[in-house]
Amino acid sequence: MSQPVSVEIHENIAIIAIANPPVNALSHAVRAGLEAAFAEFASRLDLAAVVIYGTDRTFIAGADIREFGKPVQEPLLPDLINRIESCHLPVIAALHGTALGGGLEVAMGAHYRVAVQSARFGLPEVTLGILPGAGGTQRLPRLAGVDFALEAITSGRQIGAQEALKVGLIDRISTTEDVRAAGIAFAKDLLAEGKGPRRTRDLVVDPVAPEVFEAAKAKMAKKARGQLAPQNCIKAVEGAATLPFAQGLAQERALFQELMESDQRAALIHAFFAERQVAKVPEINGVTPRATDKIGVIGGGTMGVGIAASGLLAGLDVTLIERDGPAALMSGDRVRKTLKDSVNRGKLSQDSYDEILANRFRASNDYKALVEADVVIEAVFESMEVKKDVFTQLDAVCKPGAILASNTSYLDLNEIAQMTSRPSDVIGLHFFSPAHVMRLLEIVVADQTAPEVTATGFALAKRLNKIAVRAGVCDGFIGNRILSHYRKACDGAVLAGASPFDVDRALVSFGLAMGPFAVSDLAGLDIGWATRKRLAPTRDPREVYAEFADRLCEAGHFGRKTGMGYYVYAEDGTRENAEVLDHVAADRAAKGITAREISEQEIVDRYMAAMVNEAARVVEEGIALRPLDVDVTLLNGYGFPRWRGGPMQYADTVGLDKILRDVKRFAEEDAFLWQPAPLLARLVAEGKTFADLNNA
């Protein structure tokens, strides 16, 4: 096996090549190889410069995730970078692909940086609940200034070569894409100019008023409510501006260690790995997917347009079908507008836009336009009769082997599949709105869905840049089934004494971007109302049913779309709708409930206990394969705060025994809603966690 770090001598220049595919991660072997190389250079008198570059497609894309959670072996990355920076020879980092995290910290420890035009840079540690802990918070302000460092480190965003050159992060953009040649050429130019080492640690940070950091902390407290890592990032950058370099490094390390020991870091690491694990589905292991180049979309509403745009942006050929000619024209215009918005935001070039409309998109009212489609996705009104009619027509016109998919949010996919002569080719592809933006895709596997059809769903999700989660068939699948349960718990909190506005405030404080009642307004209260009416015939008489939501709808208040719901939406701003409290009071009176004070903590406890309890049922029934599938679903489709890792990770963090105690506590008030899930009770009895199930 070849060494991940090799050294060659070109004239009087030492060239270090890092080869640790696929992304040249900073494994122990890479760190040890670099340490050995620079230890050797210390005694070499025949060398004039050092060039570091990465082979294959990238420089160093960060830490080695295979080493996460394991004891760190020397050399430690901060020590290695200090050694590189202390080298008596000028050290040039030649950059291509990505220099991320520790990779960018290595590059900043070099004395000079040259990059190819396509290179990208970033310090994304904050997204994992930590901060750049190998000098990144100290060197970036010295190279690019405090303002840039604060924004780049707290956002974790990537930047391109032009921006990096403008702010001073790199010194040159190469005219060649041959990164090795670019590094050698830059080294020769530096030597010709008589330039020696230029250590980043010796650069002076421009003076910054203390108010800059206080403003940054206040802004981040609002933007990233409750999150530790962004605040520690700001403190570390502040140290670069106010402390000598060595002290700044020491403070950075202390802040880094504080985060490493936090629940938030564990939660964000869990989310990171869960999103990689979720696509590992046993039934499709080794199964070859079918083609997904040409897709059809039935329905030109908000969801259908979003799905069509998502396919087009991913390079697919898309045919959109509507009920008649005028509707097809209107839907085609909406797709074009969505794509034009992508052009205006810089996400799509004008040339690509023109190519899509000329060659890869068409809107029609004729199902026969779908004869060559590989996958057809139905996205019509959430009515079983309407969907059955669509699938009957699709079965008649689509080619053998074409996959027929439904975007249903709740309905029985098995019943839909029976409308075709090919139930093994039917699958659910549940997108989330707006479909060209939201990353979650529930892949719903019916009783007769063929494994290669499931595999194709996952392959299509990858092409669309979606995070796919396998789900079984039940009312609402994974996400919406759990949603219906915790929404009932929120309604129960209101009936018990809280207001909908209290609930929203408590859960925003917990970490949600919007409270559940505000979200309902945004989605449209009529959508939930239609679902409740559909399920009314099957409602158990023991259920404590909240009437106040229905009263709002009966009054014609459907949320933002009508200007009024739980909140009033006016030109002068948004305010609470006082009518809601009248509906709530009437509902309590009819049920004989005396309102009591409900604390923020109780609201959170109800919300989380209901979510976790129902999720445990979803896992036990096989609707979700593992607890991590639930976490990925709620994180990417339902606004659950990422820094809490998902509901199952949260439950493990606070303790499953606490969740079970809460369920039993609330059962004293409503025994029907609050029935402990058998899996939850069993795990508590056995002293196990949801993580144990993930690892099984």
Side-chain angles (χ1 to χ4, degrees):
M1 182 177 175
S2 61
Q3 294 297 314
V5 176
S6 60
V7 179
E8 63 172 310
I9 307 300
H10 177 83
E11 298 175 2
N12 60 348
I13 300 171
I15 303 169
I16 300 176
I18 300 171
N20 185 30
V23 295
N24 290 338
L26 278 165
S27 65
H28 171 253
V30 170
R31 299 195 306 276
L34 288 169
E35 173 78 13
F38 278 91
E40 179 189 342
F41 298 157
S43 60
R44 293 283 294 265
L45 301 178
D46 58 327
L47 299 177
V50 180
V51 172
I52 309 174
Y53 80 104
T55 64
D56 199 20
R57 56 193 175 94
T58 195
F59 180 62
I60 299 171
D64 191 336
I65 63 173
R66 293 169 296 188
E67 296 182 2
F68 280 24
K70 298 179 182 177
V72 180
Q73 296 176 273
E74 293 185 348
L76 303 181
L77 186 59
D79 298 336
L80 170 64
I81 294 173
N82 288 341
R83 176 183 271 278
I84 292 172
E85 191 171 47
S86 296
C87 184
H88 69 288
L89 304 170
V91 181
I92 297 94
L95 310 170
H96 77 303
T98 54
L100 301 176
L104 182 55
E105 289 181 295
V106 168
M108 291 191 290
H111 306 141
Y112 303 93
R113 286 151 294 281
V114 58
V116 303
Q117 181 68 50
S118 58
R120 298 191 66 77
F121 315 93
L123 294 169
E125 285 86 351
V126 70
T127 64
L128 296 178
I130 54 177
L131 56 75
T137 66
Q138 304 305 294
R139 292 187 175 92
L140 187 59
R142 286 171 162 79
L143 290 168
V146 165
D147 288 344
F148 176 82
L150 283 172
E151 188 276 328
I153 294 173
T154 57
S155 70
R157 71 180 177 94
Q158 290 187 24
I159 67 169
Q162 290 292 344
E163 184 178 0
L165 181 67
K166 181 180 178 181
V167 299
L169 177 58
I170 62 174
D171 302 291
R172 175 188 290 185
I173 296 176
S174 170
T175 56
T176 175
E177 288 290 310
D178 183 336
V179 68
R180 178 180 176 278
I184 293 171
F186 192 25
K188 288 183 175 179
D189 288 348
L190 290 170
L191 294 174
E193 295 168 15
K195 292 185 176 178
R198 182 196 60 187
R199 297 180 178 90
T200 306
R201 69 189 183 204
D202 296 334
L203 301 178
V204 177
V205 179
D206 291 336
V208 178
E211 293 78 22
V212 169
F213 298 104
E214 294 310 310
K217 291 171 187 174
K219 179 181 177 182
M220 200 52 59
K222 285 186 177 180
K223 184 178 179 181
R225 262 186 325 274
Q227 296 182 48
L228 302 175
Q231 293 293 343
N232 277 24
C233 287
I234 295 169
K235 293 174 188 175
V237 173
E238 185 175 14
T242 58
L243 298 172
F245 183 78
Q247 291 181 31
L249 274 185
Q251 177 179 273
E252 175 193 82
R253 202 66 195 162
L255 292 166
F256 176 82
Q257 285 302 131
E258 179 183 309
L259 294 173
M260 285 295 291
E261 295 165 7
S262 72
D263 290 338
Q264 292 188 15
R265 191 276 311 171
L268 286 160
I269 294 289
H270 166 76
F272 176 84
F273 281 109
E275 288 175 351
R276 283 146 185 80
Q277 185 72 17
V278 75
K280 295 178 181 177
V281 177
E283 72 199 72
I284 64 171
N285 185 31
V287 176
T288 302
R290 299 178 190 172
T292 57
D293 296 321
K294 296 182 179 181
I295 69 170
V297 179
I298 311 296
T302 300
M303 185 62 78
V305 166
I307 294 170
S310 182
L312 293 167
L313 291 168
L316 306 181
D317 181 281
V318 178
T319 300
L320 178 64
I321 301 295
E322 257 290 5
R323 63 184 179 276
D324 54 39
L329 287 173
M330 188 178 301
S331 296
D333 287 342
R334 293 181 69 192
V335 171
R336 284 185 280 274
K337 182 181 183 301
T338 300
L339 295 176
K340 196 65 177 177
D341 288 343
S342 294
V343 174
N344 295 337
R345 294 197 312 272
K347 303 292 185 182
L348 182 70
S349 71
Q350 184 64 44
D351 288 346
S352 296
Y353 173 85
D354 294 338
E355 184 275 328
I356 287 171
L357 297 185
N359 303 313
R360 293 195 284 111
F361 175 66
R362 64 212 59 83
S364 172
N365 64 333
D366 187 353
Y367 274 69
K368 292 178 181 177
L370 301 172
V371 292
E372 294 299 323
D374 300 312
V375 181
V376 181
I377 304 166
E378 163 273 308
V380 300
F381 183 67
E382 192 76 346
S383 157
M384 180 61 81
E385 294 310 310
V386 174
K387 291 181 186 291
K388 283 182 174 181
D389 178 62
V390 168
F391 273 78
T392 300
Q393 295 187 66
L394 291 177
D395 190 42
V397 302
C398 290
K399 67 184 181 182
I403 292 172
L404 310 183
S406 176
N407 180 58
T408 180
S409 302
Y410 290 94
L411 301 179
D412 187 342
L413 191 65
N414 289 313
E415 190 175 339
I416 293 171
Q418 292 310 310
M419 301 309 298
T420 75
S421 61
R422 49 175 115 180
S424 63
D425 288 340
V426 175
I427 196 167
L429 295 177
H430 179 211
F431 290 80
F432 288 73
S433 187
H436 62 295
V437 175
M438 294 290 284
R439 294 200 65 200
L440 180 65
L441 178 60
E442 278 186 310
I443 296 182
V444 186
V445 180
D447 291 347
Q448 293 179 261
T449 303
E452 67 183 66
V453 173
T454 305
T456 307
F458 276 88
L460 178 61
K462 187 174 182 179
R463 292 190 72 173
L464 297 176
N465 194 32
K466 304 292 185 190
I467 296 174
V469 178
R470 185 203 186 280
V473 175
C474 67
D475 197 279
F477 316 125
I478 297 174
N480 281 343
R481 172 172 163 177
I482 295 171
L483 166 66
S484 68
H485 208 76
Y486 67 73
R487 274 310 309 266
K488 289 176 184 176
C490 291
D491 289 346
V494 171
L495 290 174
S499 73
F501 319 118
D502 293 334
V503 172
D504 279 358
R505 280 190 291 269
L507 294 177
V508 166
S509 179
F510 176 71
L512 274 67
M514 296 175 68
F517 293 100
V519 169
S520 294
D521 273 2
L522 182 63
L525 299 184
D526 52 323
I527 295 175
W529 190 32
T531 300
R532 294 193 296 275
K533 287 190 287 188
R534 174 175 62 83
L535 295 175
T538 62
R539 187 178 302 130
D540 193 295
R542 294 173 295 171
E543 179 180 341
V544 179
Y545 180 73
E547 307 278 353
F548 60 83
D550 293 351
R551 300 294 89 82
L552 269 178
C553 293
E554 288 164 5
H557 302 327
F558 295 157
R560 285 181 182 266
K561 66 176 71 175
T562 59
M564 187 179 294
Y566 289 101
Y567 297 86
V568 178
Y569 303 92
E571 290 184 6
D572 59 349
T574 301
R575 62 182 184 275
E576 297 170 0
N577 181 4
E579 273 186 43
V580 171
L581 301 181
D582 294 334
H583 292 308
V584 170
D587 201 356
R588 288 175 185 150
K591 291 178 169 64
I593 296 172
T594 301
R596 62 178 178 83
E597 185 175 339
I598 306 290
S599 69
E600 277 203 2
Q601 187 59 55
E602 181 178 336
I603 290 169
V604 171
D605 287 346
R606 284 173 175 266
Y607 177 81
M608 288 309 309
M611 186 182 293
V612 172
N613 196 46
E614 189 63 16
R617 288 194 179 89
V618 165
V619 171
E620 187 159 39
E621 294 170 18
I623 302 302
L625 288 181
R626 300 145 297 202
L628 67 84
D629 294 70
V630 173
D631 284 340
V632 172
T633 299
L634 272 292
L635 287 172
N636 289 282
Y638 295 84
F640 195 88
R642 188 175 183 84
W643 52 276
R644 294 193 184 275
M648 311 307 253
Q649 171 71 18
Y650 172 87
D652 279 352
T653 300
V654 301
L656 300 193
D657 54 341
K658 177 199 167 13
I659 300 294
L660 183 59
R661 285 197 307 273
D662 285 343
V663 172
K664 291 178 178 178
R665 171 162 61 111
F666 301 134
E668 296 173 5
E669 176 186 288
D670 182 351
F672 180 73
L673 178 65
W674 297 98
Q675 299 175 43
L679 176 61
L680 177 62
R682 188 165 66 251
L683 289 173
V684 170
E686 295 173 357
K688 293 182 177 179
T689 64
F690 289 124
D692 292 327
L693 299 184
N694 289 331
N695 298 328

